[in-house]
Amino acid sequence: MNVDTDSELITHADVVIVGGGIGGSALAFALANAGIDTVVLERQKSHTDRVRGEVINCWGVREARELGVLPILEDAGGNYANRFVAYDETVSPEHADSVALDVGSMLPDIPGVLDVGHPQACAALLAAAEKAGARTVLGVEDTVVECGPRPVVRYNGPYGERTLHARLIVGADGRVSATRQQLGVRLTQTPANSLGGGLLVDGVDGWRQDTSGIGTEDDLLYFVYPRANGRARLYLLHSPHQRGRFSGASASKDFIKAFQFHCIPNSSEIFGNIRPASPRTPCAFFPMNDSWCDTITRDGAVLIGDAAGWSDPVIGQGLSIALRDARLVRDALLAHSEWTPDIFADYTAEREVRMRRLLLSGKVRTAMSLTFGPYGRRRRKAYAAAWPKDEILAGSRLATFKGPHNVAAESFESEVIEQIMQLGS
Ligand SMILES: Cc1cc2nc3c(=O)[nH]c(=O)nc-3n(C[C@H](O)[C@H](O)[C@H](O)COP(=O)(O)OP(=O)(O)OC[C@H]3O[C@@H](n4cnc5c(N)ncnc54)[C@H](O)[C@@H]3O)c2cc1C
């Protein structure tokens, strides 16, 4: 439904959210559900596969529940995996199976990690937001925001140029956020730690639907995230120096060919007949890095999700981050009648700690899983032996499942991270 017709012109709203991805549409649902007059402006006319994240880790599942969007994500085709297995060149499959993580018991009442198609999730959340009373405009272009005591958003919609007055603007427009730039917020990015890409495939035969997988072999790190009926999202990551390794017309074919790992038992049967989920399914690679902003609030505006700075996707946290951001912004708006920038002080402070911890978790994951060759194998083996016996060493790893706020702060102290980095040297 598009309500921005000439006969039903939107001119005012309490909250205007620029970007109807995971963060923006989840927030729109939660605000509309709480009776706040909300408009979402989304650039796409319909959500398409842009090779974005699809695995919501356990702590993100909890955030989705807190926001009230969990049933929507489950109904959008979400599949829970309660087991995480590391078939890797450094261990036998039997050993990997025997030490597989029980991610279904990481947090009370959370059945595991939830894998759900990104376009399906966004579309279902936006539809639910509309049902709850939010107004959405799809296919918008040229959004321009002005913050201050009387925030304004101008955009070009399907029915022409529009001006929208709001009490608050939320920038939820992803990595290349125009809203962030227009608010004059500075983004700092780290160099790419690796290049990572994904392909949605059908025809996976014999991989357990309750199990997600990770492993390194030769010069590739892989992930397997299964859904129903032989569908899975596969990811591959490689050195940033191999730009273009999977690109051009043969990208999907080369990706599928590479997905024959000796360390995965029965790999040739499981992945022997996989194919892209549709002829138009993209196979795209992105730099895997971290970023942060000098501020995430302005008078009359706040940023959430990737627009506010992202975590290296190597640890698959972006969806959980966006959902927690949405929840904290909703809670701040509901708790205060005056929406001054101060109401986001707790959100800002919490996010800074959260993102710093996740940056360190990503650093550990990159060091352990994307250092190749004999040294990499030594490191990985030493780490696999060390962390399960030491709660503090385990913290940066378990944070990716439980949430960075649910493990000991000590796990992120520089001496502890350095101790992990020295393993196997
Ligand atoms: C290869 C890869 C794999 C990943 N894997 C995982 C994973 O497994 N798990 C995980 O949690 N995270 C993962 N991530 C990260 C995750 O995809 C993002 O962190 C998450 O999608 C961020 O959500 P968001 O709502 O902030 O932004 P997005 O999902 O990017 O949504 C932004 C929305 O804003 C819209 N938009 C943009 N500009 C405008 C504009 N000017 N006006 C209106 N609308 C606009 C876009 O069309 C889009 O719909 C991965 C990322 C990559 C690149």
Side-chain angles (χ1 to χ4, degrees):
M1 182 178 76
N2 187 317
V3 294
D4 183 27
T5 61
D6 280 332
S7 59
E8 200 178 348
L9 185 60
I10 313 172
T11 54
H12 289 82
D14 285 334
V15 178
V16 175
I17 302 174
V18 183
I22 291 283
S25 53
L27 178 61
F29 171 82
L31 293 181
N33 217 24
I36 294 182
D37 180 22
T38 305
V39 171
V40 185
L41 304 176
E42 165 56 42
R43 186 168 54 194
Q44 298 175 83
K45 290 192 175 121
S46 64
H47 289 92
T48 53
D49 185 357
R50 295 179 297 133
V51 190
R52 281 291 183 269
E54 307 205 313
V55 185
I56 304 177
N57 267 288
C58 306
W59 66 281
V61 174
R62 178 180 272 176
E63 294 295 344
R65 179 181 288 169
E66 293 277 316
L67 275 169
V69 300
L70 187 55
I72 302 165
L73 296 170
E74 289 171 343
D75 290 349
N79 176 57
Y80 282 107
N82 57 20
R83 205 170 155 264
F84 190 70
V85 67
Y87 295 127
D88 186 278
E89 63 186 356
T90 56
V91 290
S92 70
E94 295 73 26
H95 179 75
D97 276 324
S98 72
V99 295
L101 290 181
D102 175 8
V103 288
S105 66
M106 289 281 171
L107 293 175
D109 302 328
I110 301 297
V113 303
L114 182 65
D115 186 65
V116 54
H118 195 99
Q120 291 79 5
C122 294
L125 289 169
L126 263 194
E130 281 190 347
K131 212 165 159 198
R135 294 169 291 168
T136 69
V137 188
L138 302 181
V140 306
E141 291 175 355
D142 308 326
T143 51
V144 177
V145 305
E146 284 168 27
C147 60
R150 287 189 193 78
V152 177
V153 184
R154 297 178 218 286
Y155 64 94
N156 224 328
Y159 299 93
E161 287 180 13
R162 294 287 189 258
T163 300
L164 195 44
H165 299 269
R167 287 180 69 196
L168 180 79
I169 298 167
V170 178
D173 45 351
R175 284 181 166 222
V176 192
S177 166
T179 306
R180 181 180 63 229
Q181 290 166 35
Q182 290 158 6
L183 293 175
V185 173
R186 203 177 66 229
L187 179 84
T188 305
Q189 294 191 51
T190 58
N193 299 313
S194 62
L195 296 177
L199 184 66
L200 187 67
V201 298
D202 281 332
V204 177
D205 186 11
W207 181 277
R208 284 173 58 164
Q209 203 184 317
D210 65 356
T211 299
S212 19
I214 180 177
T216 301
E217 187 171 294
D218 293 333
D219 59 357
L220 284 173
L221 166 64
Y222 76 82
F223 294 89
V224 179
Y225 291 108
R227 290 200 215 134
N229 306 318
R231 177 162 285 193
R233 172 65 74 175
L234 307 179
Y235 292 108
L236 286 175
L237 285 82
H238 59 68
S239 158
H241 306 300
Q242 295 180 331
R243 186 171 289 278
R245 178 169 171 181
F246 299 98
S247 62
S250 65
S252 300
K253 215 168 116 219
D254 295 342
F255 187 105
I256 287 171
K257 202 164 151 212
F259 227 95
Q260 292 287 331
F261 294 103
H262 298 106
C263 60
I264 301 178
N266 307 319
S267 183
S268 50
E269 286 93 69
I270 296 172
F271 301 109
N273 292 312
I274 57 175
R275 57 195 176 277
S278 86
R280 301 220 318 261
T281 298
C283 176
F285 275 67
F286 301 89
M288 303 277 110
N289 69 343
D290 296 89
S291 72
W292 56 88
C293 293
D294 56 348
T295 178
I296 55 173
T297 59
R298 289 275 190 238
D299 188 12
V302 64
L303 300 173
I304 65 166
D306 279 7
W310 58 87
S311 134
D312 187 332
V314 71
I315 48 171
Q317 303 294 300
L319 302 171
S320 305
I321 292 166
L323 290 167
R324 187 169 173 89
D325 291 350
R327 208 256 304 158
L328 293 175
V329 166
R330 177 202 63 178
D331 290 353
L333 296 181
L334 294 186
H336 298 89
S337 50
E338 293 292 317
W339 291 351
T340 58
D342 307 350
I343 69 167
F344 299 119
D346 288 349
Y347 164 54
T348 302
E350 188 276 344
R351 195 180 203 273
E352 200 174 318
V353 174
R354 180 172 18 130
M355 297 304 280
R356 185 188 157 271
R357 290 183 179 188
L358 289 176
L359 185 145
L360 294 171
S361 293
K363 185 174 162 182
V364 169
R365 167 73 57 81
T366 297
M368 297 306 150
S369 300
L370 281 147
T371 307
F372 303 118
Y375 173 45
R377 288 194 280 277
R378 261 199 329 276
R379 254 185 150 176
R380 217 150 53 246
K381 273 188 119 149
Y383 181 56
W387 76 261
K389 294 188 213 134
D390 184 325
E391 207 180 307
I392 299 304
L393 289 188
S396 54
R397 176 166 170 79
L398 293 181
T400 63
F401 297 106
K402 294 181 172 188
H405 47 290
N406 285 324
V407 298
E410 200 184 335
S411 294
F412 302 96
E413 284 177 3
S414 49
E415 304 78 54
V416 174
I417 299 296
E418 194 46 36
Q419 189 186 340
I420 296 174
M421 290 296 167
Q422 292 306 323
L423 289 168
S425 55

